Structures are given as C-alpha cells and as structure tokens.
Amino acid sequence: MATIGLAAFLEGLFPMIFGSATRALDIGIPNDPIIIGEIYLTPVNVVGAAVAIIFFSGFAWFFVKSRKGVALRAVADNHQVSMAMGINVERYFVLAWSMAGVVAVLGGLLWGSAIGVDNTLAVVGLKVFPVVILGGLELIKGCIVGGIIVGVIEAWGGTYIDPAMTQPWFREFFPFEGGGTKDFLPYLLMIIVLFFRPYGLYGKVIIERV
C-alpha cells in the first residue's frame, strides 16, 4: 500500500515539474517492423521478449541453484525461522528490492520506448496482480503462464470485443458505445479466479489448522 501511495503521489508531482504531454523515448531500437510471412513484429516487442526470457531463465537458476536465491525464498516464506537459521533478513530485503528495481527500470525503458513516457506509464505495473494471481506466487512458471494468459486475453479483447462494441447490432442491445475492454478483462478474470482458485494455477495450497 505504501508503494501504491507513493506511485499516486509521483503521478501527481511529475506532471507539475515536467508537464503532462507524452514524450518519446529513444533507446536505440529501430522502428521498422520485422516481417515474417504475414506476421508483423515490432523490434521493441522482440527485444522485450528476449529480455524477459533471459531474466526469467536467470531468476529460475538464481532462486533454485544459488545460496542467495534459496535464502531469499526462505525469507519470503518465514522471517522468524530465517533469522533463527542465521540469515540476515534485512540484507535480503535490500537485495530483493534492488533486483525489483533493476527489472522495473528495464521494463520502464522498453515500455516507454514502445508507447512513450507520461505520468500514466506506471499503470502497466498493476497488471502484475492478475498475472501472479492467475499463475500463483510460488513458482516462476506460474508467472510465465499467467503472463501469457493475460496477454492473450488483452489481445482477444482488443481484436474482437472492442470492434464489436462499435457495431449497430451491439447498440440495439446496449445503448452505449464502448471500448478498452483489453484494459479490464485481465482484472475480471482475476476476480473469477479468486472465487474458485485463490492460490492460482500453480500456487501452493496452504492449510492451517487451529
């Protein structure tokens, strides 16, 4: 909640300092599309996918094979037991936030290069909630599967539902003309998943007996 509050404060502060206009961000990635048959790919999306694969592979190795990664998992699971085992919990808090900061910077650079930079750029970070809730918090493969599901849902909503909402037959049943369904469909799916599988597709079911 502190992070969300700080983000809201910065979203209001930065337009006062830098203005509210969307600015282009050039990080050296060309704009010419990559054409493979009938498939058009933007270079920034290709680079983003490559960076995501590299980081997912690196994190998978780090959390499973390295001592620091195993210690981070222990800290995330139980602070008191980790301290009893001699793990410096505060130091690993710093490590976790530092890793998150590096990933956030890379994601911001790539996303800002794709759509431009303004005070609403950070809103995309909220999509992490449906991703991790769909996939589960315990396994990296859950995040991958959740991310793919969210991406497919967004593409499906923007490709099929939004155009259908502008058709006359739609307005015969619903007296409004809408759009932007790709922005809320992941959260709608998240709510449905919370009702039936609150621990996600690959999440660990925790049963506590009192």
Side-chain angles (χ1 to χ4, degrees):
M1 294 305 298
T3 304
I4 294 175
L6 178 61
F9 169 75
L10 295 177
E11 287 178 8
L13 176 65
F14 285 162
M16 297 173 59
I17 300 174
F18 302 104
S20 58
T22 302
R23 301 188 182 187
L25 178 62
D26 185 8
I27 58 175
I29 300 176
N31 296 322
D32 297 333
I34 301 172
I35 302 174
I36 305 175
E38 296 183 355
I39 300 175
Y40 288 78
L41 301 174
T42 56
V44 66
N45 289 339
V46 174
V47 173
V51 170
I53 292 172
I54 292 172
F55 268 80
F56 268 120
S57 302
F59 283 139
W61 176 87
F62 176 77
F63 285 115
V64 175
K65 299 296 183 180
S66 70
R67 292 175 61 88
K68 290 186 180 296
V70 174
L72 268 175
R73 291 167 58 195
V75 171
D77 187 63
N78 194 304
H79 298 168
Q80 293 180 342
V81 174
S82 300
M83 287 189 289
M85 296 298 294
I87 298 175
N88 190 330
V89 173
E90 292 184 356
R91 181 180 300 174
Y92 281 95
F93 278 171
V94 173
L95 176 61
W97 279 100
S98 300
M99 294 169 61
V102 171
V103 173
V105 168
L106 286 174
L109 288 172
L110 291 169
W111 193 248
S113 176
I115 67 171
V117 178
D118 57 20
N119 65 318
T120 63
L121 180 64
V123 175
V124 70
L126 295 177
K127 292 182 180 180
V128 71
F129 291 113
V131 169
V132 298
I133 288 175
L134 286 172
L137 294 171
E138 281 76 19
L139 297 177
I140 290 182
K141 70 177 182 180
C143 295
I144 297 175
V145 173
I148 292 174
I149 292 174
V150 168
V152 170
I153 289 294
E154 286 186 330
W156 180 72
T159 303
Y160 296 104
I161 299 182
D162 284 354
M165 296 178 70
T166 62
Q167 301 300 318
W169 62 265
F170 179 85
R171 290 195 293 271
E172 291 180 1
F173 297 95
F174 302 97
F176 58 85
E177 182 175 338
T181 55
K182 71 181 185 66
D183 294 323
F184 72 82
L185 280 177
Y187 300 98
L188 178 62
L189 181 62
M190 177 186 71
I191 294 173
I192 295 173
V193 171
L194 283 173
F195 275 111
F196 299 100
R197 199 177 178 89
Y199 42 85
L201 297 176
Y202 297 97
K204 181 181 179 181
V205 181
I206 299 176
I207 302 175
E208 295 184 0
R209 294 180 174 86
V210 179

